[in-house]
Amino acid sequence: MKRQNAFFEALGVDATNSKEVTRLAVISGISVKKLRYYNEHHLMPSGTELEKIIETTNVTKLKLMLKLGCVDHNVAGMLSEHADEIITLFEKEKKQTKAKKRLQPVFETNLGKLYHGNCIEVLMQMPSNSVDMVFADPPFNLNKLYPSNINDDLKAEQYLDWCEDWIDECVRVLKFGGAFLLWNLPKWNSALSNFLNDRLTFRHWIATDIKYRLPIKGRLYPAHYSLLYYINGDKPKTFHPDRLPMQVCPKCSGDLKDYGGYKAKMNPAGVNMSDIWIDIPPVRHNKYKRREGANELSLKLLDRIVEMSTDEGDIVFDPFGGSGTTYMASELKKRKWIGCEIGPVDDIVNRFDHINEEREILNNYRDNLNSLFPKQILKKREKEGLWTCESVRSKAALKMSTTTYTENSIPQLAKTK
Ligand SMILES: C[S@@+](CC[C@H](N)C(=O)[O-])C[C@H]1O[C@@H](n2cnc3c(N)ncnc32)[C@H](O)[C@@H]1O
C-alpha cells in the first residue's frame, strides 16, 4: 500500500500541522487545497508547480517520485539495477501472509467446485498455472451494500492495492496461453491495466455498452463497462469468438445502414465480433435476477467470454461468485469451474436447481449467433421482400449467367491478345 502523507513527508512537512502546510503553501505559491490534493492522491505535481516545489524545498524530482511510488521507466530501470540491495531491505520488512486453513468446497457438481470464503485464501491453495481462464467481476467500490457486508467504500489506493493482491494470485494460477478477463468500471480498469501490463499480454479493452448511472453534471454520461482481456504469454491457447448477427431494425427487421454493393460480400455466418459490445442486456428484470441486490451479470456475457477463450473441458476460475453466473455458464458449456464467494452462497447453490431454465435461456441466446440473419429475422425479411444472403447471391449468379458481353468489353480482351 502507498504510504499515507508520503507527499508531505517527502517535503519535510507534518501533514497534521496546518501551520506547516500553510507555510509550505506560502513559500511555494501553491494553495493549501492543491497541496492536500497531491498528498491525498499520491500525485506527482507537474510543470511550474513541480518547479516551484523543487526551488523552494530541498527535495529532488527523483526523491518525490520514489516517496510517492510514481515509477516511470527511468525509476524502474534504476530499481531493477539495484534490485539486490532493495530486496535485502524489503525482505526484512515484508510480512509473509499465509493461508490459515485449507478450505473445502461447500458445493460440487461433476464439473465444478464452489468455496465459501475469501478469494485470496482460495487462490493461495491453488497450484500455479492450473487454470485456463480467469474471469473476475469484483465489487466496484461504489459503496454498495452486498449480502456479504464487505466494505465497498475503500479509499481509492486501498481498493487498488486489494485488487493488485488478488490479481497477482490470479496471474500465478493462470496457465500459459490462458486468458484473464477483468470486468470493472473504466476508472479502475485504467489503473489496473498498468499493473497487468507488467505481467500479462494485453489483447483488448472491450467496451460493453450498458448505462449504469444517471448522467452526472459536468461529465460525459457513463455508458460502458470495461472488460480487459489479457493473455499469459504472447498468444492465446484458445480464441474462437462467435460471429454476430447483423444489426437490424427491431420493429421491421430492415437494414439500419446502407450496405450498398457490400451485401454480397457479407459472411452468411455473421459479422466479426468487435471490441465494442452493444448487445449485452443488464440484469434488471426480476425474471432474470438470481439474487436480491447487488450486481449480477447476464448469462449472455459469460457465454460469450467462455466461448471465446476456452474449450470444453478447460478450467474456468472466477474469484467473485455473486449469483454464480460464470459457474452456470461454464457448467452449461461443459467447462470445469472453480468458484468462491465470501458472502452467502445459497443463491449460487439454488441456481443449480434451475439449470434447465438456464440452459433454455442460453440456448435462446446461442440460436441467434453465427448467422447473419437468425431464423426469426430471416423469416421476417423474406416476408417483407428484404435482401437476404440467399437473394443477393442468386441475383449475382443470375447476373453472371445472363451477362452478354458488349463489343466494348470484348475488344479489351481482344486487344491484349
Ligand atoms: C459484483 S459481484 C459479482 C457478481 C457476479 N459476477 C454475478 O454475475 O453474479 C462481486 C461479489 O464478490 C464478492 N466478494 C467480495 N469480496 C470478496 C472476496 N474477497 N472473496 C470472495 N468474494 C468476494 C461479493 O460478496 C459479491 O458477491
Side-chain angles (χ1 to χ4, degrees):
M1 187 198 287
K2 290 192 177 176
R3 296 177 58 224
Q4 269 200 335
N5 299 322
F7 176 75
F8 283 135
E9 194 187 284
L11 304 178
V13 169
D14 176 359
T16 59
N17 184 333
S18 53
K19 273 192 192 151
E20 282 191 30
V21 178
T22 309
R23 196 173 152 271
L24 176 65
V26 173
I27 60 164
S28 67
I30 303 171
S31 70
V32 168
K33 195 173 163 200
K34 198 79 185 277
L35 290 171
R36 289 209 180 277
Y37 171 76
Y38 285 134
N39 185 55
E40 193 172 322
H41 296 274
H42 293 268
L43 288 179
M44 265 302 282
S46 59
T48 51
E49 295 196 336
L50 180 59
E51 285 161 19
K52 282 183 199 164
I53 285 174
I54 293 171
E55 258 169 50
T56 55
T57 66
N58 263 341
V59 83
T60 60
K61 182 176 174 187
L62 179 60
K63 180 171 174 185
L64 203 50
M65 286 175 84
L66 285 171
K67 283 276 189 186
L68 291 176
C70 294
V71 179
D72 68 2
H73 68 101
N74 293 313
V75 178
M78 196 188 69
L79 292 175
S80 141
E81 203 180 316
H82 296 279
D84 292 338
E85 296 127 79
I86 296 166
I87 289 165
T88 322
L89 291 172
F90 192 66
E91 277 180 345
K92 272 190 212 152
E93 301 227 332
K94 200 176 173 207
K95 288 174 244 118
Q96 290 290 336
T97 26
K98 288 219 166 88
K100 287 172 209 143
K101 57 178 187 315
R102 213 174 159 80
L103 292 165
Q104 295 301 325
V106 289
F107 173 67
E108 288 186 55
T109 67
N110 282 341
L111 295 171
K113 281 187 171 46
L114 175 68
Y115 293 85
H116 184 200
N118 187 331
C119 62
I120 299 193
E121 283 180 29
V122 174
L123 275 156
M124 285 173 85
Q125 64 186 41
M126 287 166 62
S128 299
N129 308 109
S130 58
V131 306
D132 298 276
M133 190 267 265
V134 177
F135 171 80
D137 167 24
F140 300 154
N141 204 33
L142 286 176
N143 200 11
K144 284 210 172 171
L145 183 63
Y146 283 91
S148 50
N149 285 327
I150 51 145
N151 181 357
D152 193 41
D153 191 21
L154 300 170
K155 283 195 163 179
E157 69 192 70
Q158 282 177 318
Y159 176 72
L160 292 171
D161 289 349
W162 172 69
C163 287
E164 287 186 3
D165 287 345
W166 59 259
I167 292 176
D168 202 36
E169 276 296 298
C170 287
V171 170
R172 179 184 64 78
V173 301
L174 191 61
K175 287 186 192 168
F176 297 110
F180 178 80
L181 290 117
L182 176 57
W183 177 265
N184 212 324
L185 305 178
K187 169 181 165 171
W188 299 128
N189 267 2
S190 67
L192 293 170
S193 62
N194 273 336
F195 182 76
L196 282 163
N197 287 338
D198 286 340
R199 288 157 180 79
L200 299 173
T201 308
F202 173 84
R203 266 172 86 72
H204 293 288
W205 171 293
I206 300 167
T208 308
D209 176 354
I210 300 180
K211 314 229 170 356
Y212 53 91
R213 272 186 177 174
L214 293 173
I216 307 167
K217 197 165 175 253
R219 299 264 183 110
L220 297 180
Y221 189 175
H224 84 275
Y225 283 92
S226 152
L227 176 62
L228 281 175
Y229 176 16
Y230 280 81
I231 294 294
N232 188 4
D234 58 347
K235 54 179 193 304
K237 172 188 81 65
T238 304
F239 182 61
H240 28 67
D242 284 312
R243 297 185 76 95
L244 302 181
M246 189 183 103
Q247 289 288 307
V248 293
C249 165
K251 284 195 181 144
C252 68
S253 298
D255 295 4
L256 293 177
K257 280 194 220 161
D258 179 7
Y259 290 92
Y262 286 96
K263 288 185 196 110
K265 295 197 178 101
M266 292 187 74
N267 191 332
V271 179
N272 266 323
M273 191 178 290
S274 85
D275 56 8
I276 302 183
W277 294 358
I278 57 172
D279 57 341
I280 302 297
V283 181
R284 295 212 179 102
H285 198 290
N286 274 344
K287 184 175 157 200
Y288 296 105
K289 274 197 162 201
R290 300 294 173 237
R291 68 169 182 173
E292 280 300 309
N295 294 5
E296 174 181 333
L297 298 175
S298 137
L299 197 57
K300 185 174 186 180
L301 176 73
L302 268 304
D303 168 56
R304 181 169 297 177
I305 292 170
V306 171
E307 182 71 28
M308 176 170 77
S309 56
T310 61
D311 293 304
E312 280 189 20
D314 277 358
I315 305 179
V316 172
F317 174 66
D318 180 341
F320 303 104
S323 67
T325 316
T326 309
Y327 316 144
M328 182 53 76
S330 305
E331 182 85 17
L332 292 170
K333 296 174 76 61
K334 300 191 175 66
R335 273 66 170 173
K336 295 181 191 138
W337 56 270
I338 301 169
C340 70
E341 167 57 53
I342 204 167
V345 291
D346 319 10
D347 289 328
I348 304 178
V349 175
N350 295 339
R351 190 166 180 171
F352 278 81
D353 290 342
H354 304 279
I355 191 161
N356 288 334
E357 284 165 47
E358 303 269 0
R359 182 172 288 115
E360 209 175 303
I361 297 174
L362 186 99
N363 288 344
N364 282 342
Y365 288 139
R366 295 213 61 82
D367 278 351
N368 290 320
L369 293 172
N370 302 310
S371 111
L372 197 63
F373 300 121
K375 273 188 217 134
Q376 295 290 332
I377 304 280
L378 184 65
K379 242 185 180 172
K380 252 184 157 178
R381 285 182 73 93
E382 282 170 347
K383 195 169 154 214
E384 297 297 325
L386 298 164
W387 70 271
T388 63
C389 299
E390 191 60 25
S391 74
V392 168
R393 268 147 218 244
S394 34
K395 211 165 154 189
L398 191 69
K399 202 170 163 198
M400 286 280 284
S401 65
T402 55
T403 303
T404 44
Y405 291 101
T406 61
E407 281 207 351
N408 285 343
S409 61
I410 295 168
Q412 239 199 338
L413 291 172
K415 261 190 232 160
T416 53
K417 275 200 167 178

